[in-house]
Amino acid sequence: MSDYQQFIANVKRKTGIDLALYKEAQMKRRLTSLYEKKGFKNFDEFFRAMNHDQALFHEFLDRMTINVSEFFRNAKRWEVLEKKIIPKLLEKNKRLKVWSAACSTGEEPYTLAIILSKFMPLSQVSVLATDIDDNAMARAKLGIYMERSLQEVPEDVKKKFFVKEGSHYKIIDDIKRTVTFKKHNLLADPFDTNFDLIVCRNVLIYFTEEAKHELYLKFNGALRPGGIFFVGSTEQIFNPAAYGFEVEDTFFYRKM
Ligand SMILES: C[S@@+](CC[C@H](N)C(=O)[O-])C[C@H]1O[C@@H](n2cnc3c(N)ncnc32)[C@H](O)[C@@H]1O
């Protein structure tokens, strides 16, 4: 077994996270540069150190999870969601069950809540937001962001849903209350069901093809018939019918 394969097995035993389901070259490169920076010679040394150094273990998690996010990331897609997808979903159900899977630091579920608030009172908006990374979700719950996370946010939305505090922006409590954060590993934990809309963006790109195939099927199973699966702007599904989806719009798939 190679040094990296042994590391994968150790990490799986320690955390339940299966690095074998992430694209190998990319993940290996990211982790190698971290252990080298820390002065270790190989994955074995790195793992041993991680075992008694909690801070190092967190750095490892941080490096493997890649938390970059942004409000209204790829704004044109969110426009399609608002103008076309949500109105259509609301024709069937007045209440929507919505999941932001791999929500990172919260920009995505809060964007969803902001958009949904244009269609219904905030008391009826509810978004489930999950991620494997506790640290990212702790930041999501704080709801404080640097200006660069808000680059794509229209001025009127900024005024209405954020409070400026020095050089930071805080999402207002009314929006915060609509989002429930929960730890969830897409590659290991069971999925809830009957969703009208699942947003899972910019995480599938890190997974192997096999892991992706399995996840498409699981996302399909988690949706109601007619429900929508919204993916990231580099994450087109090449054979949606194989997973029970049809194309609704670019990067939006409807469960058949
Ligand atoms: C690049 S961020 C994407 C954030 C947001 N969805 C967006 O598009 O802006 C990727 C997120 O996927 C999460 N992630 C990685 N592996 C995961 C897994 N197995 N289960 C759940 N989340 C995972 C990371 O912790 C990270 O927060």
Side-chain angles (χ1 to χ4, degrees):
M1 206 187 272
S2 77
D3 184 35
Y4 184 58
Q5 298 305 324
Q6 185 60 53
F7 181 75
I8 289 181
N10 289 338
V11 168
K12 189 164 181 197
R13 206 170 338 99
K14 182 177 166 73
T15 66
I17 297 172
D18 189 355
L19 291 175
L21 300 174
Y22 291 74
K23 283 182 191 148
E24 178 169 329
Q26 215 179 32
M27 183 60 78
K28 209 167 154 182
R29 200 173 334 112
R30 299 179 66 75
L31 296 176
T32 305
S33 82
L34 174 64
Y35 80 59
E36 284 178 352
K37 192 178 102 190
K38 294 283 159 191
F40 301 108
K41 283 200 273 318
N42 52 40
F43 278 106
D44 185 46
E45 269 189 13
F46 180 42
F47 183 77
R48 285 167 199 266
M50 230 163 70
N51 254 341
H52 9 94
D53 182 344
Q54 199 61 9
L56 186 63
F57 176 58
H58 282 293
E59 267 190 80
F60 153 72
L61 284 178
D62 235 27
R63 182 60 66 101
M64 70 143 291
T65 51
I66 313 165
N67 298 127
V68 229
S69 192
E70 214 184 300
F71 286 90
F72 293 87
R73 187 172 190 175
N74 314 112
K76 285 266 171 296
R77 299 291 97 211
W78 291 96
E79 220 174 288
V80 173
L81 181 78
E82 179 177 337
K83 300 281 184 298
K84 176 175 170 187
I85 307 287
I86 292 181
K88 218 163 155 184
L89 286 173
L90 285 170
E91 283 170 15
K92 283 216 197 128
N93 291 310
K94 288 285 152 253
R95 290 267 181 125
L96 298 182
K97 187 168 172 184
V98 179
W99 178 19
S100 162
C103 65
S104 187
T105 36
E107 293 88 333
E108 182 178 281
Y110 291 141
T111 300
L112 266 169
I114 288 170
I115 292 175
L116 288 167
S117 78
K118 300 183 183 181
F119 293 89
M120 58 192 82
L122 271 173
S123 58
Q124 284 176 25
V125 175
S126 159
V127 177
L128 169 68
T130 63
D131 201 282
I132 198 173
D133 184 350
D134 284 322
N135 284 344
M137 280 192 299
R139 282 165 57 200
K141 286 180 201 161
L142 272 180
I144 298 172
Y145 298 94
M146 312 269 267
E147 182 133 31
R148 73 174 126 79
S149 311
L150 280 78
Q151 283 179 122
E152 302 244 36
V153 181
E155 223 26 68
D156 58 320
V157 171
K158 230 187 238 181
K159 279 217 179 79
K160 192 164 172 197
F161 297 102
F162 294 86
V163 179
K164 191 156 197 268
E165 290 182 348
S167 59
H168 294 82
Y169 287 82
K170 193 163 194 248
I171 189 91
I172 59 166
D173 286 342
D174 286 349
I175 289 290
K176 233 194 218 178
R177 272 193 280 274
T178 66
V179 180
T180 307
F181 291 98
K182 258 199 211 160
K183 183 169 179 163
H184 181 271
N185 180 351
L186 286 167
L187 299 168
D189 295 330
F191 287 16
D192 195 359
T193 52
N194 282 322
F195 287 102
D196 297 284
L197 172 64
I198 298 175
V199 181
C200 184
R201 308 183 72 216
N202 306 303
V203 64
L204 296 175
I205 30 161
Y206 301 117
F207 298 154
T208 63
E209 287 307 306
E210 296 70 34
K212 267 196 280 194
H213 293 319
E214 206 166 301
L215 280 173
Y216 292 147
L217 292 170
K218 286 182 80 177
F219 280 122
N220 188 272
L223 285 163
R224 289 199 172 123
I228 295 287
F229 181 42
F230 176 18
V231 300
S233 291
T234 55
E235 297 174 316
Q236 209 144 357
I237 305 178
F238 290 108
N239 186 8
Y243 310 103
F245 287 115
E246 58 193 359
V247 177
E248 173 71 16
D249 204 301
T250 325
F251 307 115
F252 292 93
Y253 300 91
R254 174 178 296 277
K255 175 174 175 158
M256 291 195 276

